[in-house]
Amino acid sequence: MEQHHSAKPHIVGYLFSLILTVLAFYVMLYTSMPMSWKITILLVLAVLQLLVQLFYFMHILEGDGAYQVINVVFGIFVAVTIVAGSIWIMLYNTMLE
Amino acid sequence: METTTSTTKGYRPMEYASEEGRLKIFGFWIFLGAEIVLFSTLFATYFVLVNQTAGGPSGKELFEIKIFAMETFLLLTSSFTCGLAVLAMRKQSKRGYFGWMGVTLLLGLGFLILEIEEFAMLVEMNAGPTRSAFLSAFFTLVGTHGIHVTLGIAWVTGVMIQVWKRGFTPVTSRKIFMTGLYWHFLDVVWIFLFSTIYLLGVA
């Protein structure tokens, strides 16, 4: 009962999101790390923000929790395959040029 | 986790009270899975075409940090206030629901206005969707997200009118919960947009 009616997870989630967003802006705009580091950190921060939304705001574990998680994980799997696969194929598609 | 056990052990928020409600919410999660895939194809297109500027401007010259930082803050905060609105619904507080959902709508509108201004500015600078493959992909991706926000505002408004007329029933509660999921999802997509399109574009 407590979990369903408490604003605490929302406030904690909002604080986490704000911190992660500010970090992303800071790393990309005000540091002079190599680009590959920046991109890695940026992706890690984005994935953390995704988890904050799913768990703190969207309550993914409520209801049919396990099936919802499987469904979202499968969606992400297809998404990563499409994005990474497309970039990989087009990057090494030098024979046409 | 705590939440799962408490839902399986008898207590359920009203939107989960009926089997129909539970199935529709699960169905909505499946829809969101399909939305992830939809956006992934647009992201893939963008990343493939990002350097094809056809002698035109690149993201570095076009994206304004102030604008997309503001957009990010507005949408992130609206996701938070939307969560509070759903929470108010669970506490059966009409005032809380209308108050927080109203704030959510205003923040969403603010986001949309900034985005429309940005698009208009780009078109004025001769950097519209027909300028280069990069800009076609950019407008398609960011525009699709913008259309989702527009639809979200219309849907949330519609559900608010229903709640105004009928109060919190198992059906309206379920709809409120689903609009909440949708709104949070819009912020999820934006997280990846501001990170990989805008921040990576200007860095």
Side-chain angles (χ1 to χ4, degrees):
Chain A
M1 191 107 184
E2 186 102 334
Q3 285 272 333
H4 293 295
H5 286 171
S6 167
K8 213 179 133 197
H10 290 270
I11 294 165
V12 173
Y14 184 52
L15 287 178
F16 273 147
S17 316
L18 282 179
I19 294 168
L20 291 168
T21 305
V22 170
L23 263 180
F25 274 82
Y26 178 77
V27 168
M28 292 309 282
L29 302 175
Y30 301 106
T31 59
S32 48
M33 279 181 261
M35 203 54 185
S36 57
W37 287 27
K38 282 188 175 185
I39 294 174
T40 312
I41 294 171
L42 190 70
L43 289 178
V44 170
L45 290 173
V47 170
L48 287 177
Q49 279 225 56
L50 165 72
L51 293 177
V52 167
Q53 293 280 330
L54 286 176
F55 287 93
Y56 288 90
F57 290 170
M58 295 169 86
H59 311 285
I60 190 171
L61 294 178
E62 284 178 14
D64 294 311
Y67 294 110
Q68 283 161 190
V69 172
I70 291 169
N71 176 63
V72 167
V73 168
F74 179 63
I76 292 170
F77 167 72
V78 176
V80 170
T81 309
I82 291 174
V83 174
S86 301
I87 294 171
W88 185 55
I89 288 172
M90 296 311 286
L91 214 65
Y92 293 98
N93 183 18
T94 46
M95 284 160 89
L96 286 178
E97 283 164 24
Chain B
M1 217 178 145
E2 202 67 34
T3 332
T4 342
T5 44
S6 63
T7 38
T8 46
K9 277 184 189 157
Y11 172 74
R12 286 200 166 106
M14 213 201 294
E15 65 271 24
Y16 285 108
S18 70
E19 169 141 45
E20 194 195 339
R22 289 198 294 280
L23 285 175
K24 283 191 171 165
I25 290 171
F26 177 55
F28 199 74
W29 277 100
I30 294 182
F31 164 72
L32 291 183
E35 289 274 276
I36 294 176
V37 176
L38 162 74
F39 276 101
S40 76
T41 60
L42 299 177
F43 271 101
T45 312
Y46 177 85
F47 292 134
V48 166
L49 296 174
V50 64
N51 293 322
Q52 312 302 317
T53 52
S58 68
K60 197 161 194 155
E61 296 149 58
L62 294 175
F63 301 154
E64 287 205 31
I65 296 166
K66 240 192 219 158
I67 294 180
F68 72 78
M70 197 65 205
E71 287 175 320
T72 305
F73 179 70
L74 287 177
L75 213 57
L76 183 62
T77 308
S78 83
S79 189
F80 170 60
T81 58
C82 175
L84 293 180
V86 174
L87 195 70
M89 174 271 281
R90 288 188 169 176
K91 287 179 177 166
Q92 302 288 305
S93 161
K94 265 198 173 186
R95 253 187 74 199
Y97 166 71
F98 283 110
W100 288 119
M101 226 29 156
V103 174
T104 307
L105 280 184
L106 285 179
L107 292 168
L109 271 176
F111 170 86
L112 260 191
I113 290 170
L114 280 178
E115 183 154 279
I116 291 168
E117 273 182 2
E118 185 193 12
F119 279 12
M121 190 191 76
L122 289 178
V123 171
E124 218 170 281
M125 289 162 68
N126 190 27
T130 52
R131 181 63 190 81
S132 63
F134 152 66
L135 280 163
S136 302
F138 169 81
F139 273 91
T140 311
L141 172 55
V142 182
T144 305
H145 177 265
I147 289 172
H148 275 73
V149 176
T150 314
L151 280 176
I153 289 174
W155 189 23
V156 166
T157 312
V159 172
M160 280 172 92
I161 293 170
Q162 278 196 356
V163 175
W164 186 263
K165 286 185 170 166
R166 300 178 199 165
F168 295 129
T169 67
V171 173
T172 53
S173 303
R174 193 251 306 154
K175 287 181 181 174
I176 292 168
F177 188 72
M178 275 167 35
T179 52
L181 285 184
Y182 185 77
W183 199 269
H184 296 311
F185 178 76
L186 296 178
D187 191 51
V188 168
V189 176
W190 183 258
I191 290 166
F192 287 90
L193 271 171
F194 89 75
S195 307
T196 59
I197 309 301
Y198 288 98
L199 272 180
L200 210 55
V202 294

